[in-house]
Amino acid sequence: MSTVDELIAIHAEHGLTVLRRSLLPIETSAQNFPAIKLSAAAAFYLRMGNPVMTGQLKTSGLIRIFADDGSFMGIGEMLEDGRVTPKRLINNLKKIAV
């Protein structure tokens, strides 16, 4: 485990590539939740805040949501009717430059 100051020092000394190897993927924090992968169309509507239909899970409760390209979108909730609704979504971190 590293402190923020240690991570800043790693970035300053070794660059972004080495810093990224020092970090766990963001979805690690929710690794105990079931996961679903959405189509591009479903991911678009979910990002707009709309519940979307998915037949992938037969459960209710919190889930990890991935886009069709495999990128982590955030946490959603499976509803009893088979739809998933967004709870906490994140921006696509691949597009963020540090």
Side-chain angles (χ1 to χ4, degrees):
M1 189 149 175
S2 301
T3 67
V4 172
D5 289 336
E6 290 169 338
L7 294 173
I8 291 170
I10 290 169
H11 180 255
E13 186 174 336
H14 302 286
L16 189 56
T17 301
V18 174
L19 174 63
R20 285 187 175 151
R21 287 192 301 237
S22 302
L23 302 173
L24 293 173
I26 193 166
E27 63 267 20
T28 302
S29 63
Q31 66 188 2
N32 293 328
F33 297 148
I36 62 166
K37 189 173 186 180
L38 297 178
S39 68
F44 172 82
Y45 286 107
L46 192 82
R47 283 186 183 108
M48 298 297 148
N50 298 306
V52 296
M53 186 59 81
T54 176
Q56 297 179 39
L57 292 176
K58 305 293 184 212
T59 185
S60 60
L62 296 177
I63 58 165
R64 292 175 292 152
I65 305 169
F66 293 87
D68 61 333
D69 67 358
S71 62
F72 180 65
M73 293 179 60
I75 302 297
E77 183 175 6
M78 283 299 301
L79 304 176
E80 291 180 8
D81 64 2
R83 294 179 304 153
V84 61
T85 187
K87 285 296 183 187
R88 294 290 181 264
L89 300 181
I90 60 170
N91 288 328
N92 185 343
L93 297 177
K94 293 178 185 176
K95 296 180 182 177
I96 298 174
V98 176

